[in-house]
């Protein structure tokens, strides 16, 4: 019988990772190799880790996000998978994160600079600066009250213009609004 693969538990401390939701059939024949105090189950393979959990986001000293299946599943408990090379270092001091907006879905998220999809155009920021900008972008995407001070033909075009400036420059939101 093959010996189960077990990574060093310390290798997950202070990491950022984006898991991708999987169908629960992916772990049917895998043994649970670790169960956390909060009830999350972990399944390790040579390719990566499966995590079955009802909570995602900030976990102790790490940031692990789940990209849901489309269409989204009803269950609160979700299975995510991440390859070992998708765990990136995290800390509060370095400019490690960039922002991505999905205008059609009206969503915004952050990604790590080590992500192979990073185009090196979006400004890198610390986690605190990134969180602040994301909050501003979410307000722009979901509210309309801020737009009453502008003369515009298409609200979606105005939103995109402001959000692109927030992602690709170091200008403050007030500076951007004044320039428009």
């Amino acid at each position: 019988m093959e010996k189960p693969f077990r990574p060093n538990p310390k290798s997950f401390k202070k990491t950022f990772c984006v898991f991708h939701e999987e169908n629960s059939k992916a772990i049917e024949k895998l043994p649970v190799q670790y169960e956390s105090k909060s009830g999350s189950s972990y399944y390790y393979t040579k390719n990566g880790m499966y995590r079955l959990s009802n909570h995602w986001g900030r976990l102790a000293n790490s940031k692990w996000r789940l990209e849901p299946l489309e269409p989204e599943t009803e269950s609160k408990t979700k299975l995510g998978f991440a390859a070992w090379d998708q765990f990136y270092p995290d800390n509060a001091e370095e400019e490690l994160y960039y922002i991505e907006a999905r205008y059609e879905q009206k969503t915004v998220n952050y990604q790590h600079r080590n992500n192979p999809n990073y185009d090196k155009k979006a400004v890198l920021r610390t986690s605190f600066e990134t969180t602040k900008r994301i909050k501003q972008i979410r307000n722009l995407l979901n509210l309309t009250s801020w737009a009453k001070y502008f003369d515009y033909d298409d609200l979606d075009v105005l939103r995109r213009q402001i959000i692109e400036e927030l992602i690709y420059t170091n200008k403050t939101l007030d500076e951007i609004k004044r320039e428009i």
Side-chain angles (χ1 to χ4, degrees):
M1 183 171 173
E2 191 175 326
K3 185 179 174 187
F5 178 79
R6 281 192 180 257
N8 183 334
K10 291 182 182 182
S11 62
F12 304 124
K13 289 189 178 201
K14 296 185 179 181
T15 59
F16 168 83
C17 187
V18 177
F19 285 74
H20 296 275
E21 188 175 0
E22 299 272 334
N23 186 299
S24 60
K25 290 181 181 179
I27 57 169
E28 279 181 347
K29 295 186 175 157
L30 295 176
V32 174
Q33 290 172 293
Y34 178 74
E35 195 158 339
S36 70
K37 292 176 186 173
S38 61
S40 298
S41 300
Y42 297 83
Y43 305 79
Y44 308 128
T45 71
K46 287 184 174 151
N47 297 326
M49 172 199 304
Y50 288 96
R51 179 174 186 259
L52 184 65
S53 182
N54 65 358
H55 58 283
W56 295 85
R58 292 187 91 82
L59 305 155
N61 52 23
S62 295
K63 297 177 185 92
W64 291 359
R65 185 172 71 237
L66 179 69
E67 287 290 326
L69 285 171
E70 295 206 11
E72 235 178 286
T73 55
E74 296 279 325
S75 174
K76 287 190 181 221
T77 301
K78 303 199 185 260
L79 177 68
F81 177 80
W84 296 122
D85 64 356
Q86 295 173 335
F87 287 83
Y88 306 127
D90 175 52
N91 65 61
E93 298 80 36
E94 286 183 85
E95 294 174 336
L96 298 173
Y97 299 103
Y98 68 97
I99 299 171
E100 287 182 330
R102 294 183 186 156
Y103 298 101
E104 294 76 30
Q105 294 89 354
K106 289 192 171 190
T107 61
V108 61
N109 247 318
Y110 61 99
Q111 295 287 353
H112 198 279
R113 71 178 181 203
N114 292 354
N115 177 336
N117 297 328
Y118 177 44
D119 63 7
K120 311 241 183 310
K121 293 178 184 171
V123 174
L124 292 173
R125 306 177 200 291
T126 64
S127 53
F128 176 77
E129 293 166 331
T130 302
T131 301
K132 185 177 170 184
R133 291 249 171 174
I134 284 177
K135 185 177 180 181
Q136 292 172 330
I137 293 170
R138 284 190 178 135
N139 286 338
L140 290 166
L141 287 169
N142 298 306
L143 303 175
T144 57
S145 56
W146 60 269
K148 66 184 172 190
Y149 303 104
F150 294 91
D151 182 24
Y152 60 91
D153 294 324
D154 185 333
L155 180 57
D156 288 332
V157 171
L158 179 62
R159 275 190 174 116
R160 184 180 217 117
Q161 181 182 2
I162 295 170
I163 291 168
E164 297 283 311
E165 290 283 316
L166 285 170
I167 292 172
Y168 295 105
T169 73
N170 279 316
K171 295 176 188 172
T172 67
L173 181 55
D174 286 337
E175 287 172 332
I176 296 165
K177 286 180 176 179
R178 275 195 303 271
E179 287 177 5
I180 294 174

